Structures are given as C-alpha cells and as structure tokens.
Amino acid sequence: MPKVTEEHRLARRQQIVAAARLCVVEQGFHKTTMADVIRESGMSAGAVYGYFKSKEEIVAAIAEEALSTVDELFEKILATEEPLTPLAALEAALNHIVAVAERPGGDVTRVAIQAWAEALRNPAIKATAQGKYIQVRAHFEAVARRAQADGTVDASVDPHYIAQVLFGFLPGFILQRLLIGDVSPDTYTAGLRALLQP
Amino acid sequence: MPKVTEEHRLARRQQIVAAARLCVVEQGFHKTTMADVIRESGMSAGAVYGYFKSKEEIVAAIAEEALSTVDELFEKILATEEPLTPLAALEAALNHIVAVAERPGGDVTRVAIQAWAEALRNPAIKATAQGKYIQVRAHFEAVARRAQADGTVDASVDPHYIAQVLFGFLPGFILQRLLIGDVSPDTYTAGLRALLQP
C-alpha cells in the first residue's frame, strides 16, 4: 500500500471542508448533518471522522480556510509607501471579501452569517468566531496605528476603538450584499469616501 | 360575556410576541416550535393561532416591535437645529440599539442575528428583513441628505451610497457587542470620531 503523504491528507481534508461548505450554504448549519457531509464528500464515514469529529470542527476549518489569506491581505495594505488611509484599507478589505465570496464552491459569507447565529448558543462556534474576529480586528488596529503615525487619523484616540469601527464596517456590507443585494465595493467605497476624513 | 376590546387583543398579541422572543433568544429560531411559544405564552393553542399562523409571522411581529420606535428616533435626530453630522446620528442610533437590547424580556438583537441567518433560506423571513432594513436605510438616507444640505458631508456623492455605509455600521456593532463583548456606544463613538469627517 502506498504511504499516505501529508499532501494527500491535506487534499482529503480540503475535500471534506468543501463538501461541508456546500451543505451549509444550501441547507443551513442546523439541517446539515455529518451524514450529509460524508455523502457530499464522496468519502467513507470512517475517513471523514478521521479528520473531523463534529460539525463544529468543520465549521472552524471553513472559517480557517476563508480567512487564510487575511494576513497576506493586510501585509499588502500596510506595504503601501503612501500615507495609509482607512478608506484605502477598507476598499481593499471589501474587494477581498467579494473575491473570496465569489470563489466557486459556495459563498462562504453565507456560512459566516450562519456561524454568527449559531455562536449565540454554541460555545465552540462562539470561541471560533471570537478568535477569528479578534485576529482580523488586530489587523485593523495595525492599520489604525499606521494611519495615526501617517497623520491620516486623529492620533489621540485609542486605536483599539478605531479598529472596532473599521472591523465593524464589514458585517453590514456582507449582510446588505446577501439580504438586499444592492451594495458593491464600488457603492460602499463611494459612500465611505463621502464620510471618512480625507 | 364581556366583549373583547381592541386593547385586549393588542395585549394578547404582545403577550405572544414576548413569549416568542424569549423562546428564540433562549433556544434559537430553529429549535423554537409553535408549541414552545404556546406554552411560554400561557395561552391556548387556539388563541395563539388566532393571532399568528406561523413562526415566520411571529418573527415579523418581533421585528415590527423592535423597530417600532425607529421613526421617532430619526425624527428626533433630524430635529436638531445644529448642522447635522453623521457622527451625531450614529451615536443616537447606537444608544438606541443598546436601550432596546437591554429592555427586559430578552435581547432582541439576538433575534435579529437569528433572522439574518434564517433569511438566507427562508423567503418569508428574507422579505421581512429586507423590508425593515430598507426602511431603516431610508431614514439614514434622509440623514445623509440633511448632512449634505448642512455642508457636513460631501454633496457630490449619491446619498443612497452614504446611507448604505451609515446603516452598515450597525450590524458590526451588534455583532461585536454579542460575540466579543468589548464594544459600547462610547468606544464606538470614540472610534467614529477619529474616522469621520468633523
């Protein structure tokens, strides 16, 4: 028998995560069972349970995958040689969200909204959401500090509070995009341009 | 037998809505059944079905009640004789959200988050959410037009886009308040003050 390589393991794991994402997007978190994920993945139950013990673990992996390029995104944002503005950072974040949402295999922002609701009563999902969002917010805090150093944002305000607001733009964009459908990074950036300090 | 007055009908209706809100806050939308609502309300099944035919109708009534004072809130915001700033409008909206959330009988922002998730697959809930949020956004569009007229916001930008962003601040605040717990109208207003045009 061939030895199972690490590459093979990762590909199998990703296959399960993709199957679970499709199930949650189509049926919602509650109606999705491990049996659905197993069927959709085309793998055996034993194989799937070898990677994930519960729906909660799979949802954490979906979040992990969705946010896997966030560090890179913020590296790019902070790499600008111009004075960094909150507008530029938010525009990049909005474009990134839409690019990730439009990847084939199910809009992961739909999974995010399911996770918000689930987090209210499921401590494992709440812990995952908290961890992920605190990580994204820390990136926005770095943006705030940089903007303060560059003189584009009032330096007397706690950058943690600024990060709350910058991060806080994103759920409202995600929600309007899915529930109302008339927002885009372009309309949002136009609105932001009118409101934010130049 | 005494005639059932309109006042009596309204009180009964409110009793059912309050019972349903408690159930959804405690168990989530999916696990809440009409039987739970009937038990919690202390009324008979026949009586409850005389007011509401489905969970969807009750959720619409919860949203209706939660947003019943929104018109009044924006009337107050627009009544200022000073030049109206987006910061002042958002600060008033954030304080209003927390005041409504902290009313006894279950935090209605928890019901809102449940409704966001449910709206993705339930057309009746989606229609309710759309209707309500388009209504709140229209109020923010009035704020944007007034701020443009007052010279506190760039008058060349479509006020509809500005309203998208102003409305879009609120879900991120609600979410951080419930999932992370470290935001308040004060921290958020401080962050907003650093970011928004003076």
Side-chain angles (χ1 to χ4, degrees):
Chain A
M1 287 225 314
K3 210 173 133 191
V4 176
T5 62
E6 182 59 20
E7 196 179 346
H8 178 83
R9 271 194 63 82
L10 275 175
R12 292 283 101 161
R13 193 175 185 278
Q14 206 159 17
Q15 188 176 341
I16 301 165
V17 171
R21 191 175 49 232
L22 259 188
C23 290
V24 173
V25 165
E26 281 171 12
Q27 311 169 49
F29 183 85
H30 275 276
K31 288 197 184 148
T32 297
T33 62
M34 284 297 277
D36 293 328
V37 176
I38 289 160
R39 195 178 318 112
E40 180 71 37
S41 73
M43 291 165 62
S44 73
V48 169
Y49 277 102
Y51 291 86
F52 298 104
K53 297 280 167 269
S54 65
K55 280 202 290 180
E56 284 75 11
E57 285 187 15
I58 306 185
V59 166
I62 294 173
E64 189 72 47
E65 191 187 87
L67 293 171
S68 62
T69 48
V70 161
D71 292 352
E72 201 183 313
L73 166 72
F74 279 91
E75 260 174 48
K76 237 186 270 175
I77 289 170
L78 290 165
T80 178
E81 297 191 2
E82 311 274 301
L84 181 60
T85 64
L87 180 64
L90 287 169
E91 186 173 9
L94 294 172
N95 281 312
H96 184 80
I97 286 172
V98 172
V100 170
E102 289 179 347
R103 279 181 202 156
D107 183 339
V108 77
T109 64
R110 290 178 172 264
V111 180
I113 294 181
Q114 302 272 337
W116 301 344
E118 194 59 20
L120 297 180
R121 291 172 316 103
N122 181 325
I125 302 283
K126 185 172 186 178
T128 296
Q130 281 184 333
K132 292 295 167 194
Y133 291 151
I134 286 172
Q135 175 198 343
V136 176
R137 239 176 38 177
H139 281 301
F140 275 115
E141 191 167 327
V143 167
R145 288 180 192 281
R146 165 72 187 275
Q148 289 179 317
D150 288 353
T152 61
V153 165
D154 182 348
S156 71
V157 175
D158 188 334
H160 185 62
Y161 299 158
I162 298 172
Q164 290 176 346
V165 176
L166 291 174
F167 171 74
F169 275 107
L170 308 182
F173 174 77
I174 289 170
L175 207 60
Q176 289 178 86
R177 177 175 167 272
L178 290 177
L179 293 196
I180 307 182
D182 62 355
V183 301
S184 71
D186 286 348
T187 70
Y188 232 67
T189 303
L192 285 166
R193 186 170 290 124
L195 291 167
L196 297 181
Q197 307 206 29
Chain B
M1 289 222 317
K3 208 172 136 191
V4 174
T5 63
E6 183 57 22
E7 196 179 346
H8 178 83
R9 269 194 65 82
L10 275 176
R12 294 282 100 163
R13 194 176 185 278
Q14 206 158 16
Q15 187 176 341
I16 301 165
V17 171
R21 191 174 52 231
L22 259 188
C23 289
V24 172
V25 166
E26 280 171 12
Q27 311 169 49
F29 182 86
H30 275 278
K31 288 195 183 148
T32 297
T33 62
M34 285 296 278
D36 293 329
V37 175
I38 290 160
R39 195 177 319 112
E40 181 70 37
S41 73
M43 292 164 61
S44 73
V48 170
Y49 277 103
Y51 291 87
F52 297 104
K53 296 281 165 268
S54 64
K55 281 202 289 178
E56 284 74 12
E57 284 186 17
I58 306 186
V59 166
I62 294 173
E64 189 71 45
E65 190 187 86
L67 293 172
S68 62
T69 48
V70 161
D71 293 352
E72 200 184 314
L73 166 73
F74 278 92
E75 259 173 47
K76 237 187 269 175
I77 289 171
L78 290 165
T80 180
E81 297 191 2
E82 313 273 301
L84 181 60
T85 63
L87 180 64
L90 287 168
E91 187 173 9
L94 295 171
N95 281 311
H96 184 80
I97 286 172
V98 172
V100 171
E102 290 179 347
R103 277 181 201 156
D107 183 338
V108 76
T109 64
R110 290 178 171 264
V111 180
I113 293 181
Q114 302 273 336
W116 301 344
E118 194 58 22
L120 298 178
R121 291 172 316 103
N122 181 326
I125 302 282
K126 185 171 184 178
T128 297
Q130 280 183 336
K132 292 294 168 195
Y133 292 151
I134 286 173
Q135 175 199 345
V136 175
R137 240 178 35 179
H139 281 302
F140 275 116
E141 191 166 327
V143 167
R145 288 180 192 280
R146 164 74 187 273
Q148 289 179 319
D150 288 353
T152 61
V153 165
D154 182 349
S156 71
V157 175
D158 188 334
H160 185 64
Y161 299 159
I162 298 171
Q164 289 176 346
V165 175
L166 291 174
F167 171 74
F169 275 107
L170 308 182
F173 173 77
I174 289 171
L175 207 60
Q176 289 177 86
R177 176 174 167 272
L178 290 177
L179 294 195
I180 308 183
D182 62 355
V183 301
S184 72
D186 285 348
T187 71
Y188 231 68
T189 304
L192 285 167
R193 186 170 290 122
L195 290 168
L196 297 181
Q197 307 206 31

